[in-house]
């Protein structure tokens, strides 16, 4: 099955202002975020991306713009199911203010029980995002083969919830995962289980390129990666 590269959007004006952007329209990348996005084509240069899939929100579309410009043949798809969590009445508010809300305790320690006023639950957020990944995995494999690599550009809580699913981790533990702006997280899906190859990486990604086939059996077994970790260390 394919390898998925999850890219969080670059730093946004809401990030730098300490706001919970949610789905508030017009939230764009700030100057640092634009620089981070401009570096994506170089970081991903070694990867033969089959497709790019983006949240519909402006900050994700802006993050992928330099990559799409550098690769004119790269298909870009918009996927509503990987859009930001609907924070409802919390959207656009200062995070410092929200820390005093009683609901924030649940968001941090028991997110599976958290539902935002006027918005969605965190369980619902994870369910739609994981469903999107499963559907895109099947589509990419059918169109490009099991060694294909593709990219999704989404949001922090969405990516963390997908990683939690891949690790078999309960949603209540997903706040232990950290993915910074414009970081890349790589998950290799196999028939038996997913493997998290990179988490919140802001450096090079060359070693995620699929190996060239030599016609000989490799050292993988039952669809699992070999015994060397990404980066070559034992």
């Amino acid at each position: 099955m394919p390898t998925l590269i999850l890219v969080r959007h670059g730093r946004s004006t809401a990030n730098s202002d300490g706001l919970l952007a949610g789905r508030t329209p017009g939230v764009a990348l700030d100057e640092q975020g634009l620089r981070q996005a401009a570096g994506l084509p170089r970081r991903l240069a070694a990867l033969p991306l089959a497709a790019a899939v983006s949240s519909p929100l402006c900050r994700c579309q802006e993050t992928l713009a330099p990559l799409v410009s550098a690769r004119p043949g790269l298909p870009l798809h918009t996927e509503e199911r990987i859009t930001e969590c609907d924070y409802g009445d919390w959207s656009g508010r200062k995070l410092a203010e929200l820390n005093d809300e009683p609901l924030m305790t649940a968001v941090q320690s028991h997110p599976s029980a958290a539902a935002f006023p006027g918005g969605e639950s965190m369980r619902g957020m994870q369910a739609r995002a994981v469903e999107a990944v499963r559907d895109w995995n099947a589509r990419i494999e059918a169109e490009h083969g099991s060694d294909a690599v593709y990219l999704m550009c989404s949001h922090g809580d969405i990516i963390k919830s997908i990683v939690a699913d891949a690790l078999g981790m309960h949603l209540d533990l997903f706040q232990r995962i950290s993915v910074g702006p414009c970081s890349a997280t790589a998950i290799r899906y196999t028939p038996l289980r997913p493997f998290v190859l990179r988490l919140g990486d802001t450096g090079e990604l060359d070693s995620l390129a699929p190996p060239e086939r030599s016609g000989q059996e490799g050292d993988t077994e039952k669809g699992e990666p070999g015994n060397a970790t990404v980066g070559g260390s034992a």
Side-chain angles (χ1 to χ4, degrees):
M1 296 180 71
T3 297
L4 169 62
I5 310 296
L6 288 160
V7 173
R8 184 181 174 189
H9 61 78
R11 196 175 81 167
S12 71
T13 53
N15 294 144
S16 50
D17 290 341
L19 300 176
L20 185 65
R23 300 179 184 180
T24 304
V27 176
L29 299 184
D30 67 7
E31 290 186 7
Q32 181 173 328
L34 291 170
R35 289 193 297 271
Q36 290 171 333
L40 265 185
R42 174 186 53 79
R43 292 172 60 202
L44 296 165
L47 303 186
L49 296 175
V53 184
S54 177
S55 157
L57 296 184
C58 171
R59 53 197 184 272
C60 290
Q61 302 279 337
E62 282 188 317
T63 298
L64 289 187
L67 178 66
V68 173
S69 177
R71 299 195 190 195
L74 179 66
L76 175 62
H77 308 273
T78 298
E79 172 59 73
E80 295 285 344
R81 291 175 294 177
I82 61 169
T83 194
E84 180 62 287
C85 184
D86 185 356
Y87 298 117
D89 298 343
W90 281 25
S91 300
R93 292 181 59 187
K94 286 274 190 183
L95 286 166
E97 297 173 0
L98 292 171
N99 285 334
D100 295 329
E101 294 280 353
L103 178 60
M104 185 58 85
T105 300
V107 170
Q108 295 300 319
S109 61
H110 191 21
S112 66
F116 296 98
E120 70 178 329
S121 69
M122 301 195 87
R123 293 190 316 279
M125 173 198 74
Q126 182 186 44
R128 62 173 168 81
V130 170
E131 178 184 53
V133 168
R134 296 285 190 268
D135 289 349
W136 277 100
N137 282 349
R139 175 174 173 175
I140 294 296
E141 182 171 19
E143 295 178 2
H144 301 280
S146 61
D147 287 334
V149 181
Y150 75 108
L151 178 149
M152 278 187 173
C153 185
S154 189
H155 308 268
D157 280 349
I158 298 292
I159 294 172
K160 287 159 57 177
S161 71
I162 292 170
V163 171
D165 172 77
L167 291 173
M169 176 188 292
H170 197 282
L171 183 62
D172 284 345
L173 302 178
F174 99 130
Q175 297 289 20
R176 301 182 183 194
I177 298 167
S178 177
V179 290
C182 221
S183 65
T185 293
I187 304 173
R188 168 67 176 167
Y189 287 87
T190 79
L192 291 182
R193 62 184 68 86
F195 294 88
V196 177
L197 306 178
R198 297 285 182 91
L199 179 62
D201 198 319
T202 56
E204 65 80 24
L205 300 166
D206 293 13
S207 58
L208 294 173
E212 294 183 5
R213 292 193 176 277
S214 63
Q216 298 178 346
E217 292 293 329
D219 64 353
T220 59
E221 185 176 352
K222 296 183 179 178
E224 300 182 10
N227 58 5
T229 62
V230 171
S233 60

